[in-house]
Amino acid sequence: MTPRTTRGSRPSRRRFLATAAASAAAVLIMSACSTGGTESAKTSGAETRTVTDIAGKVEVPAKPQRIVSVDFYSPATLVDLGIKPIGVVEGFDDPDPNLRPKRYHEALKKTATIGTYYELNIEAVAKQDPDMIFAETRFLQKGELERLQGIAPVVQLDASGVGAWEDRTLMIAAAVGKAEEGKQQQATFRKRADELKAKYADVLANNTIAVFAHGQDMSTWGTYPTGHFYVPAWDAVGAKFRPFTAGEHKGEPGTVSEWLSLEQIGKLSNADILIHSYGLQDFVTSLSKNTVWKNLPAVKNGFVFENTPAAVVSSFDWGTESLNQLDGVLAKIDAKVGS
């Protein structure tokens, strides 16, 4: 589920973004729960606990030993909590720094795989004999949730909307009996975010940004709004995102804009600062021949910058690392503003 870059190491990035655009209903479910990943004091026996996920209450092992993650997010959170899942989706063997920080690759590169988050191999999940499964259910095909529940208790997750990834991360921590550790990691993340908010208050308050990428064949472009899975670090520091223009967005919160032709790239004129996805310098260079691009205010003023790598934050520790990298990006912007 890597955002659009020039790398081809992850499957079907376009397919993910199309699926992500259909997640508004899941946002409502998450909002209705608003549990923050709390553990229930009620236990149903010495060997199980009752925790809350986006669907309600689920009974899980008190001390799970064999966890399979059929989602993209939970493996990193589990690693941060000192737990190694026995099954993960494909891709953790890829060392590309734009996919995830190196430590998650190192921890999980030899872990058994169970297909992709959007195309599971249920038999591979069963083969691992898990006692708990994490799943972001908006990506499951019809009947797959029931099949997974026939194998082991399933903790259902979602990450749609501004800050929802934090609820999801706390939910994962609570499900494995490490709610307090999760909250401590969240506190570290938020403290770092607050530091950057204060450090770059003027830049963040007085400029709108557009985080943009190209489409699958570099003939289209789109931007990521607040709440999108690609911009949690920017959301955390309170960045102001450019408003979408007419015909640019379907209106679902947190979803990427319509993929528009390069002829319409002038729509980016309402952004003071342009942030292109990590690894897209070749695309930006190719735009130098585009007259409309060259006349964008941000381009004329030299306010085009590269985003941090591995921007799809999957845990608090990952998020803190992203904020540390964002500090460098904001420092460049700040220096440019002051020059």
Side-chain angles (χ1 to χ4, degrees), residues 20-21 23-25 27-28 160-162 225-228 249-256:
S23 63
V27 180
L28 298 177
S160 306
V162 180
T226 184
H228 192 273
H249 195 245
K250 294 180 179 179
E252 295 92 341
T255 58
V256 72

Side-chain angles (χ1 to χ4, degrees), residues 22 28 43 66 95 123 137 145 164 184 233 257 266 294 297 315:
L28 298 177
T43 60
R66 300 181 60 80
E123 289 73 22
T137 45
L145 175 59
Q184 290 170 9
S257 71
K294 290 191 294 184
S315 68

Side-chain angles (χ1 to χ4, degrees), residues 110-128:
K110 296 182 179 179
T111 305
T113 58
I114 44 75
T116 65
Y117 63 90
Y118 56 83
E119 194 170 330
L120 289 180
N121 183 335
I122 302 292
E123 289 73 22
V125 175
K127 184 178 179 181
Q128 297 305 314

